[in-house]
């Protein structure tokens, strides 16, 4: 049984006449009659009662007509959906993100994207850097908003820079460094440092090592945490200080004080990572929205 059998059957059933159905379908009458007979033979039931001037559906034919219409409608919907997805008008996108890095950009980018792409469902995944890289390669993510990592870790992937953030230190409001306008790296080296876990954020630890190298000292790592939330709680509890990016205060509010480093080290780069191979209008539309918001954010950075 093929879709054309169903189309022919529906036309004959609605017209109750093979000649009129053939004209409607732009086919000749004999082949149409043969297709209906073939369908009845395959089903093993009679679909029509043959009258002197018209065809009438049998009880089985009436039931089959409803089902045939539903199948044809579903097939048509499938075609339209496929075309919409191919054109970037419908579908879904899976986006990995780091909350601490994207807090200034992602909410506004989501709103802008949904306004222009209402038929696209966005699935967000809060993941570590290592998890995002893994999920991209496993094709479980279409896009990742993440910190720039080494060229080696980005093999097979594309990274488009979106926003650059200055390096800051987050401290408890009662900490002596909270009173300073700017903080030197040597001052941070004297403090207990709260950091992200090595297993989930190896690039962060490599960055710390490189950052403190000019001082000839290693950071005094006191605790490791697997999320920005737990890192904030630890600093708020007075257990140490944390090196974070400009804009981190969007997450902490008044719970912590965020102060820039001086002299400023190289900024941290937030970008969009995705697989090199494959065309995705939906992914490209999402990146366009993120770029637009990131550009406005860079032009109007939040004051420290």
């Amino acid at each position: 049984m093929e879709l054309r059998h169903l189309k022919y059957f529906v036309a004959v059933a609605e017209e109750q006449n093979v000649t009129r159905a053939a004209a409607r379908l732009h086919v000749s009458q004999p082949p149409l009659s043969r297709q209906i007979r073939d369908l009845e033979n395959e089903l093993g039931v009679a679909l029509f009662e043959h009258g002197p001037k018209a065809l009438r559906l049998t009880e089985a034919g009436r039931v089959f007509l409803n089902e045939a219409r539903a199948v044809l409608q579903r097939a048509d919907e499938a075609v339209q959906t496929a075309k919409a997805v191919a054109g970037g008008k419908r579908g879904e996108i899976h986006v990995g993100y780091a909350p601490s890095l994207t807090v200034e950009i992602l909410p506004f980018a989501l709103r802008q994207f949904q306004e222009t792409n209402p038929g696209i469902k966005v699935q967000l995944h809060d993941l570590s850097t290592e998890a995002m890289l893994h999920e991209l390669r496993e094709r479980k993510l279409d896009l990742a908003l993440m910190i720039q990592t080494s060229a080696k870790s980005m093999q097979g992937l594309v990274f488009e820079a979106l926003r650059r953030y200055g390096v800051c230190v987050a401290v408890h409001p009662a900490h002596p460094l909270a009173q300073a306008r700017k903080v030197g790296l040597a001052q941070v080296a004297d403090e207990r440092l709260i950091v992200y876990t090595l297993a989930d954020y190896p690039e962060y630890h490599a960055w710390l090592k490189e950052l403190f190298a000019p001082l000839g000292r290693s950071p005094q790592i006191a605790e490791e945490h697997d999320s920005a939330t737990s890192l904030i709680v630890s600093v708020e509890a007075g257990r140490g200080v944390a090196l974070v990016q400009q804009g981190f205060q969007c997450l902490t509010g008044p719970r912590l004080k965020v102060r820039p480093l001086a002299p400023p080290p190289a900024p941290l780069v937030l970008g969009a990572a995705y697989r090199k191979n494959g065309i995705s209008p939906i992914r490209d539309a999402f990146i366009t929205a993120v770029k637009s918001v990131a550009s406005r954010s860079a032009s109007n950075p939040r004051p420290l």
Side-chain angles (χ1 to χ4, degrees):
M1 186 187 305
E2 300 177 8
L3 285 178
R4 60 186 171 86
H5 291 108
L6 300 183
K7 292 178 181 178
Y8 290 169
F9 165 72
V10 170
V12 173
E14 291 177 348
E15 297 293 340
Q16 296 185 338
N17 183 279
V18 175
T19 301
R20 290 195 299 269
R24 168 176 157 183
L25 295 168
H26 305 290
V27 298
S28 59
Q29 182 177 335
L32 178 57
S33 297
R34 185 167 58 251
Q35 295 290 339
I36 296 300
R37 288 196 302 270
D38 290 345
L39 179 60
E40 289 180 316
N41 291 334
E42 182 171 346
L43 294 175
V45 298
L47 299 174
F48 294 100
E49 295 176 354
H50 296 262
K53 294 184 179 180
L55 297 176
R56 290 189 303 174
L57 287 169
T58 62
E59 185 176 351
R62 285 192 295 271
V63 172
F64 190 69
L65 177 60
N66 292 333
E67 298 298 330
R69 283 171 172 162
V71 171
L72 291 174
Q73 180 180 352
R74 186 67 188 90
D76 183 64
E77 290 172 353
V79 171
Q80 298 306 317
T81 299
K83 289 181 178 180
V85 171
K89 299 301 181 183
R90 289 188 62 182
E92 67 178 28
I93 181 172
H94 289 261
V95 179
Y97 74 105
S100 62
L101 289 167
T102 58
V103 63
E104 284 190 304
I105 293 175
L106 187 55
F108 302 100
L110 278 172
R111 179 181 300 175
Q112 180 173 312
F113 178 77
Q114 295 290 197
E115 286 175 352
T116 55
N117 301 271
I120 307 300
K121 182 179 181 181
V122 180
Q123 297 276 18
L124 296 177
H125 303 268
D126 178 354
L127 300 168
S128 68
T129 303
E130 287 297 290
M132 281 191 274
L133 291 172
H134 175 75
E135 299 288 85
L136 281 172
R137 293 191 169 92
E138 291 295 313
R139 298 183 176 275
K140 294 180 180 179
L141 289 180
D142 301 295
L143 178 71
L145 302 178
M146 54 181 282
I147 199 74
Q148 186 174 31
T149 62
S150 66
K152 181 180 179 180
S153 66
M154 292 299 296
Q155 286 183 356
L157 302 174
V158 175
F159 182 87
E160 292 191 37
L162 298 170
R163 180 82 158 80
R164 287 171 168 78
Y165 292 102
V167 181
C168 303
V169 59
V171 301
H172 186 277
H175 193 285
L177 294 180
Q179 308 308 314
R181 292 185 58 189
K182 297 181 179 181
V183 177
L185 187 61
Q187 293 174 282
V188 177
D190 292 331
E191 301 288 337
R192 288 166 48 91
L193 197 61
I194 309 299
V195 302
Y196 294 108
T197 54
L198 175 60
D200 294 322
Y201 301 90
E203 297 289 338
Y204 176 80
H205 283 257
W207 171 74
L208 284 176
K209 183 177 180 180
E210 182 179 343
L211 183 66
F212 283 88
L215 298 180
R217 302 173 60 182
S218 297
Q220 300 182 50
I221 295 178
E223 295 178 4
E224 295 187 9
H225 294 276
D226 61 2
S227 70
T229 303
S230 55
L231 183 144
I232 291 170
V233 170
S234 182
V235 176
E236 186 180 18
R239 300 178 63 82
V241 305
L243 285 172
V244 298
Q245 80 285 349
Q246 180 185 356
F248 194 76
Q249 63 270 27
C250 296
L251 283 178
T252 68
R255 297 163 62 188
L256 302 180
K257 294 297 182 182
V258 178
R259 296 291 181 256
L261 290 187
L268 300 170
V269 181
L270 169 70
Y274 53 91
R275 293 181 297 277
K276 287 183 178 180
N277 300 326
I279 299 173
S280 174
I282 296 176
R283 180 199 65 204
D284 294 344
F286 194 89
I287 291 176
T288 297
V290 175
K291 283 182 175 179
S292 175
V293 173
S295 178
R296 295 199 300 270
S297 173
S299 300
N300 299 283
R302 289 177 177 266
L304 293 173

